[in-house]
Amino acid sequence: EPEPLRLRDPLLLAFFTFLALRYVRALPFALLIALPWSAAQLSRRFGSPSAGFLSLAWRRLGAGLVVFALLWGVLRLPRRLDPEVSPRTPGDVLSPFWRASRGLPVRCASWLQSAPQNLRFYNYYHSGGLLTWALYGQRRVFIDGRGDLHNYSGAWTAHVMFSNIEPGWEQSWQRLAPHVALLLRGCKLQGALEERGWKFVTDDPDWVLLADPRFYPQIPAHMRQSPVPR
């Protein structure tokens, strides 16, 4: 007999469901929490061990599959109902889905898509997901949400150093030698680079793309854009 419902159960379920909806990678962990508990509760309320020819384990498995199907349907439903605002092909950064998303560097990502293939760029952590999508098959981002991988490669340590303008950042920056840098507007690194002559290229409401003063003359005039109205 499953134990009675306790306050911790819905709290844990709500927490992991929130993580799954916010971060797709957390979905397996949410299912590990949700399915056994949900199956046990459904079995407790709608079946008894002696009812029918199915054992309690089979009924719990069936109830778990029902819950899984419901979760899958909920997570997939928005894409089925409104395919026009769902990103489909990697690189389609100007789709209505991305343009309707606030706080993302859509304009800067579009600029990077049309930049020369040999361009070296640095990007701020929070822009990595969109850039991975926009530049899929073209070039790698400096950093994105896969913190474990970037910590292993050293990119995370470098990102923290640059973001906080820690001692030795300038030497590391010179070794990285990016042509342009996509930064969160108003961050410390933006001020430090502008003091060293880095020039405005394009921006979004919350983002700015700066170019190394030695590389800036190589940027065609039509790619030197005006700031977005704010």
Side-chain angles (χ1 to χ4, degrees):
E1 183 75 9
E3 64 180 45
L5 179 67
R6 298 180 181 179
L7 179 60
R8 71 179 184 196
D9 298 323
L11 289 179
L12 282 173
L13 191 59
F15 174 72
F16 280 98
T17 301
F18 168 78
L19 288 181
L21 293 174
R22 187 171 178 83
Y23 308 105
V24 176
R25 75 176 75 180
L27 180 59
F29 301 103
L31 293 178
L32 286 175
I33 297 296
L35 292 185
W37 178 83
S38 302
Q41 294 303 317
L42 289 173
S43 176
R44 181 172 181 267
R45 284 161 174 74
F46 300 108
S48 63
S50 60
F53 64 94
L54 292 176
S55 67
L56 179 62
W58 281 107
R59 284 199 304 277
R60 287 186 175 181
L61 178 60
L65 291 175
V66 170
V67 174
F68 175 82
L70 290 174
L71 285 174
W72 181 260
V74 169
L75 293 174
R76 296 289 297 179
L77 189 60
R79 294 172 65 89
R80 294 175 65 88
L81 290 180
D82 199 355
E84 290 304 317
V85 298
S86 299
R88 296 174 296 278
T89 305
D92 187 15
V93 72
L94 295 181
S95 70
F97 176 86
W98 292 118
R99 285 190 280 109
S101 301
R102 297 181 179 180
L104 292 176
V106 175
R107 195 170 183 232
C108 295
S110 178
W111 189 96
L112 289 170
Q113 282 182 318
S114 59
Q117 190 68 28
N118 61 349
L119 178 85
R120 296 190 304 273
F121 73 93
Y122 168 85
N123 68 279
Y124 205 74
Y125 172 80
H126 299 85
S127 66
L130 174 61
L131 293 183
T132 299
W133 178 272
L135 304 176
Y136 180 81
Q138 298 182 31
R139 55 173 67 92
R140 295 181 178 179
V141 301
F142 176 78
I143 195 170
D144 58 19
R146 296 168 293 181
D148 47 355
L149 299 178
H150 295 298
N151 184 55
Y152 180 79
S153 70
W156 175 256
T157 301
H159 172 68
V160 173
M161 176 186 291
F162 298 148
S163 299
N164 297 322
I165 311 299
E166 296 178 354
W169 78 269
E170 196 162 8
Q171 291 78 8
S172 297
W173 186 262
Q174 290 172 355
R175 286 194 297 270
L176 183 64
H179 295 124
V180 297
L182 175 56
L183 307 173
L184 195 61
R185 187 184 296 277
C187 69
K188 293 181 180 180
L189 184 56
Q190 178 186 352
L193 292 178
E194 288 178 340
E195 289 176 357
R196 289 159 177 77
W198 281 59
K199 298 183 179 296
F200 174 90
V201 176
T202 187
D203 67 348
D204 286 276
D206 297 325
W207 299 84
V208 62
L209 189 71
L210 301 179
D212 187 311
R214 295 165 296 183
F215 174 74
Y216 185 79
Q218 303 177 36
I219 300 176
H222 70 276
M223 294 184 67
R224 303 174 190 177
Q225 301 175 0
S226 301
V228 296
R230 288 189 292 159

